[in-house]
Amino acid sequence: MSLVKLTIKGISYSHTQNGAYALILNEVDGERKLPIVIGAFEAQAIAIAIEEDLKPPRPLTHDLFKTFCDRFDIVVKQVIIHKLVDGVFFSSIICERDGIEEIIDARTSDAISLALRFDAPIFTYQNILDKAGIYLREQEEADAKDEDYDDEDFNDDDDNDEELSDVIDEFLNIAPIEKGNEFADYSLQELNDMLEMAVMNEDYEKAARLRDELSKRNLSK
């Protein structure tokens, strides 16, 4: 069974489902996306790994795990999303120490958080992508949608049973990690103060959006 390499396309908050975030994985050599609904804590853990310049005041759980592995010469080689049962994704972390390889079962969000911190590749099997993969149109193609999507849930764990269909509808109309210009009325100083406060409060998803807004303004100068 062939493996397909994936990359992270983006994370977005669901405006229709309180506390739900959509993590979109992108097929490297194709156009399909693999959507996974995750919770706020899992979204923050992934966002802080993506935004490398955001340093939490205290180590997150996944950062502690990374430090532990480094101390004992354990390397995460790759992550494989290997099964989809009743709308739940199952993943494995492939580790190695002293030339001995071990396979550890993990929630998909945890596995991806660790893969980012170890710079390890993420894979899934072709049959999973055939079943759960979808095509997400870009924002400029929003009015040209002519494909039908299933309403089946594709969730990270049993505690997340929000319907993915509404989250996908949002992604069909907004770009990943974009939620509109919610900080347009703030000055640069106010944005920097808000960014510092968000990091102190460990609200890394908000911190990432603030940093993006600051980057846009700096580029427009």
Side-chain angles (χ1 to χ4, degrees):
M1 198 178 301
S2 60
L3 287 172
V4 178
K5 189 173 182 180
L6 304 170
T7 59
I8 294 179
K9 182 176 179 64
I11 303 174
S12 179
Y13 180 71
S14 170
H15 300 283
T16 60
Q17 301 174 41
N18 187 32
Y21 288 76
L23 168 67
I24 299 296
L25 302 177
N26 194 66
E27 181 182 16
V28 170
D29 295 321
E31 299 179 356
R32 287 175 294 181
K33 323 297 178 188
L34 191 65
I36 302 172
V37 176
I38 60 178
F41 177 80
E42 292 83 358
Q44 286 190 0
I46 293 173
I48 196 64
I50 295 174
E51 304 292 338
E52 296 180 353
D53 56 337
L54 294 178
K55 302 298 182 183
R58 297 175 298 168
L60 301 180
T61 302
H62 300 91
D63 298 319
L64 178 61
F65 188 91
K66 172 67 163 58
T67 301
F68 179 90
C69 288
D70 290 343
R71 185 66 58 87
F72 291 95
D73 298 322
I74 300 171
V75 177
V76 172
K77 297 180 63 179
Q78 61 183 9
V79 162
I80 300 177
I81 303 172
H82 63 84
K83 188 166 60 174
L84 175 62
V85 178
D86 295 330
V88 179
F89 289 104
F90 292 78
S91 295
S92 296
I93 301 172
I94 314 301
C95 304
E96 184 178 87
R97 181 174 183 266
D98 295 334
I100 300 175
E101 192 171 274
E102 299 284 349
I103 301 176
I104 300 174
D105 183 46
R107 296 191 310 162
T108 299
S109 58
D110 290 330
I112 291 174
S113 291
L114 292 174
L116 287 168
R117 286 164 170 81
F118 281 89
D119 197 24
I122 303 167
F123 297 94
T124 192
Y125 288 109
Q126 184 68 51
N127 65 323
I128 293 178
L129 199 55
D130 290 340
K131 180 179 180 181
I134 62 173
Y135 292 88
L136 295 183
R137 64 188 177 183
E138 300 298 331
Q139 185 173 5
E140 60 270 19
E141 299 171 341
D143 295 328
K145 173 177 171 287
D146 59 0
E147 297 183 35
D148 296 323
Y149 302 101
D150 293 335
D151 287 334
E152 181 180 2
D153 296 344
F154 296 116
N155 297 332
D156 176 41
D157 53 48
D158 295 317
D159 294 329
N160 267 331
D161 36 44
E162 298 93 346
E163 289 186 356
L164 181 63
S165 57
D166 289 338
V167 180
I168 292 176
D169 287 340
E170 292 180 51
F171 267 88
L172 295 176
N173 291 283
I174 60 175
I177 318 182
E178 291 289 342
K179 295 172 56 178
N181 195 355
E182 57 186 308
F183 305 117
D185 296 331
Y186 293 95
S187 67
L188 287 175
Q189 183 59 52
E190 288 173 327
L191 289 173
N192 280 298
D193 292 342
M194 291 168 64
L195 175 59
E196 182 178 352
M197 183 61 66
V199 173
M200 288 179 60
N201 293 333
E202 301 184 9
D203 188 352
Y204 302 118
E205 197 270 341
K206 181 178 180 180
R209 301 199 310 272
L210 285 163
R211 192 192 72 86
D212 287 344
E213 176 65 20
L214 286 166
S215 296
K216 289 178 185 176
R217 295 196 188 185
N218 288 332
L219 288 174
S220 63
K221 289 181 179 180

